[in-house]
Amino acid sequence: MATAMILLPRSAIRAGDLITLKAMISHPMETGFRRTETGGEIPRNIIRQFSCRYMGELVFSCDFHPAIAANPFLAFPLVATRTGPLEFVWRGDNGFLHREQAMLQVSAS
Amino acid sequence: MSRRFSPPFATEATRRTVLAGAAAVLGLVSTRRVAAEPEDMARAILDFTGGIEPRSGKVTLDIAPLVENGNAVSFEVLVDHPMKPEDHVREIALFTDKNPLPDVAVFRLTPHMGKAHVVSRMRLATTQHVTAVARLSDGSFWAERREVIVTIAACTEE
């Protein structure tokens, strides 16, 4: 099972603040370009897509190719508007699917 | 992890020759590509832009000029452009010219982000160029290219 880590700002967030979200997931991101000692191909096994939703709305997403490093890490900004759920989804080869949720606490400015 | 690295002074050509020789001896036919050629990066970029040559400017690609380990190279892309609903950065794509494939990732941005800024980590098979291309909502493309010297490669070692 993959484990994922979400990092939200530790300080209090007020409406309108520009915050940084960080997300990391454990995954080998096997490129499909490596071989075993006996010359057999190691099949590709990567995360293909990531998406982040804030209160149900898509705010950021991406497509990964084998050149993204193992245990993909992402950091990206978000304008906090009000308290609401954040949902992070990773999808990949071999039916890989991982979901994480977090509640973003926002106080009125 | 037990990985055997080739000595840093072994050139890509030597390694390829050795691999090709080994494959020939074993009677193997390999259709796998060892590395994308620089033209492949140019083609991948034009595929992304729909044939438009990106202009230089607006994009800042922050990546170390010299890395010891190509397995996880941090990079940061910042586009100096507003993120308003009517005028914003739609996508940021990254390309390399000597990895097995030119594509690295495509990031899709929205005005909810407030700023066009993305941080992640990539693999670099060897010393090469990395290009970040931004697609704006007005249909224009902007790019920045950087060279990264890699002393221990990623991707293709066993």
Side-chain angles (χ1 to χ4, degrees), chain B:
Chain B
M1 234 185 276
S2 71
R3 282 185 178 173
R4 286 171 301 139
F5 295 109
S6 18
F9 47 81
T11 64
E12 193 62 27
T14 333
R15 220 160 42 139
R16 262 185 239 181
T17 317
V18 170
L19 285 173
V25 167
L26 294 168
L28 301 172
V29 178
S30 176
T31 51
R32 288 192 323 145
R33 306 169 52 176
V34 176
E37 296 300 319
E39 311 88 75
D40 286 351
M41 173 164 89
R43 202 172 309 128
I45 291 171
L46 290 177
D47 273 357
F48 174 71
T49 64
I52 300 166
E53 200 66 56
R55 281 181 269 177
S56 67
K58 287 187 185 278
V59 178
T60 306
L61 169 60
D62 197 353
I63 190 164
L66 177 91
V67 297
E68 199 176 295
N69 188 339
N71 279 306
V73 183
S74 290
F75 65 89
E76 193 166 331
V77 186
L78 186 64
V79 187
D80 184 16
H81 195 80
M83 288 300 276
K84 294 180 199 144
E86 68 280 6
D87 181 21
H88 60 274
V89 181
R90 280 228 161 106
E91 288 178 320
I92 296 171
L94 276 113
F95 304 92
T96 59
D97 63 355
K98 290 198 184 107
N99 268 0
L101 294 170
D103 309 84
V104 177
V106 180
F107 302 99
R108 286 190 203 87
L109 289 70
T110 65
H112 300 286
M113 295 173 74
K115 200 162 86 167
H117 186 204
V118 176
V119 181
S120 188
R121 291 197 285 244
M122 72 167 89
R123 289 187 170 111
L124 290 172
T126 183
T127 295
Q128 58 185 314
H129 292 101
V130 179
T131 307
V133 184
R135 179 202 300 268
L136 306 193
S137 55
D138 67 2
S140 65
F141 292 90
W142 302 81
E144 183 168 68
R145 192 169 81 151
R146 293 240 168 251
E147 189 182 24
V148 183
I149 296 164
V150 180
T151 53
I152 298 177
C155 293
T156 45
E157 80 272 12
E158 270 127 57

Side-chain angles (χ1 to χ4, degrees), chain A residues 4-8 21-23 50-56 84-90 98-104:
Chain A
M5 205 167 68
I6 303 296
L7 273 171
L8 306 180
L21 303 177
K22 292 177 185 169
F50 167 83
S51 65
C52 174
R53 287 173 186 274
Y54 177 36
M55 295 184 293
L86 283 166
E87 189 196 39
F88 304 82
V89 179
W90 291 261
H98 189 90
R99 224 180 275 273
E100 285 287 330
Q101 282 185 317
M103 188 56 82
L104 191 69

